[in-house]
């Protein structure tokens, strides 16, 4: 596989949820072209399995919790020496089937698919402003279209994330920060919800 020349050599990049799936793939490719990459995960075992990054660039943190998000950024700044880009990749499509939602399902989905980003942007924007940095949010096609069978809680949370990206772009631009989102479709990787469905 040939990677594009993105002029990211030595750029300091934090990827949340970077130990598997889309996040891991982004981290691996950016590391391969010379970026200084840090990742986080709630799961220490998953972090340990990321063999292409040094230990000091792998952090255990739950970014749905504001205090942990703040501590994560402080530690990343200390170890990377700054922050140029933030990739908000944390998300979870596992939820109740359509029409079976409970309040706890809504709380979990909003937390993992919206607050995981808003928390990180809030605690990172001061550092990103000083580096004229950028933010990339990994959303989902479920937040753009009505997908048959997709959990409603997940779809609504991703739609809210898309709205946040649009609304936050103006105030962030005043801080010299760009924010964008991408909305991938179904992605198959180890331990993903799609792998579980394929096995069934």
């Amino acid at each position: 596989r040939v990677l594009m020349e993105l002029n990211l050599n030595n750029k300091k990049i934090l990827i949340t949820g970077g130990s598997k799936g889309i996040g891991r793939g982004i981290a691996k490719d950016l590391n391969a072209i010379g970026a200084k990459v840090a990742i986080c995960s709630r799961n220490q075992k998953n972090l340990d399995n990321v063999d292409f990054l040094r230990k000091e660039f792998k952090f255990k943190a739950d970014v749905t919790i504001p205090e942990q998000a703040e501590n994560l950024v402080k530690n990343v700044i200390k170890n990377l020496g700054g922050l140029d880009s933030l990739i908000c990749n944390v998300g979870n499509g596992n939820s109740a089937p359509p029409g079976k939602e409970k309040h706890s399902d809504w709380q979990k989905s909003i937390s993992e698919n919206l607050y995981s980003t808003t928390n990180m942007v809030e605690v990172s924007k001061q550092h990103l402003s000083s580096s004229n940095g950028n933010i990339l949010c990994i959303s989902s096609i479920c937040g753009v279209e009505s997908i048959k069978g997709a959990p409603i809680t997940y779809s609504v949370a991703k739609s809210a994330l898309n709205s946040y990206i649009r609304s936050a772009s103006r105030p962030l631009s005043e801080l010299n920060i760009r924010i964008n989102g991408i909305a991938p479709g179904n992605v198959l990787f180890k331990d993903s919800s799609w792998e579980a469905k394929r096995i069934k």
Side-chain angles (χ1 to χ4, degrees), residues 113-177:
N113 295 290
L114 178 63
Y115 295 160
S116 59
T117 290
T118 58
N119 287 344
M120 287 303 301
V121 172
E122 183 61 32
V123 298
S124 300
K125 61 185 181 182
Q126 175 185 350
H127 306 286
L128 291 168
S129 180
S130 64
S131 64
N132 293 331
N134 59 81
I135 302 166
L136 176 64
C137 305
I138 309 300
S139 182
S140 168
I141 192 173
C142 293
V144 179
E145 304 287 345
S146 177
I147 307 297
K148 183 179 180 180
I152 295 174
T153 55
Y154 175 70
S155 300
V156 170
K158 287 300 190 182
S159 181
L161 174 60
N162 294 340
S163 180
Y164 169 74
I165 294 166
R166 290 191 297 269
S167 299
S169 62
R170 189 178 301 276
L172 287 173
S173 71
E174 295 171 358
L175 298 174
N176 300 314
I177 301 170

Side-chain angles (χ1 to χ4, degrees), residues 30-126:
L30 291 180
N31 182 69
I33 60 175
K36 294 180 68 175
V37 178
I39 64 171
C40 77
S41 172
R42 294 183 295 190
N43 188 302
Q44 185 62 51
K45 183 178 179 181
N46 289 341
L47 285 172
D48 293 339
N49 287 335
V50 177
D51 56 4
F52 53 85
L53 293 179
R54 301 204 306 264
K55 183 177 180 180
E56 60 266 32
F57 295 154
K58 300 184 287 187
F59 301 89
K60 185 178 180 182
D62 183 347
V63 298
T64 68
I65 302 172
E67 294 79 11
Q68 291 195 33
E70 184 174 15
N71 287 334
L72 169 65
V73 171
K74 287 180 180 178
N75 289 326
V76 167
I77 294 293
K78 180 180 178 181
N79 286 25
L80 289 187
L83 187 64
D84 296 305
S85 299
L86 169 66
I87 299 178
C88 297
N89 174 66
V90 168
N92 191 344
N94 293 316
S95 189
K100 304 293 185 180
E101 306 83 10
K102 298 178 181 178
H103 181 66
S104 58
D105 298 314
W106 285 104
Q107 286 183 310
K108 183 175 183 292
S109 230
I110 294 295
S111 179
E112 293 181 336
N113 295 290
L114 178 63
Y115 295 160
S116 59
T117 290
T118 58
N119 287 344
M120 287 303 301
V121 172
E122 183 61 32
V123 298
S124 300
K125 61 185 181 182
Q126 175 185 350

Side-chain angles (χ1 to χ4, degrees), residues 167-197:
S167 299
S169 62
R170 189 178 301 276
L172 287 173
S173 71
E174 295 171 358
L175 298 174
N176 300 314
I177 301 170
R178 290 176 287 112
I179 184 170
N180 289 284
I182 61 174
N186 303 331
V187 178
L188 178 65
F189 57 89
K190 182 175 172 54
D191 297 327
S192 68
S193 59
W194 282 100
E195 182 186 56
K197 290 176 182 177

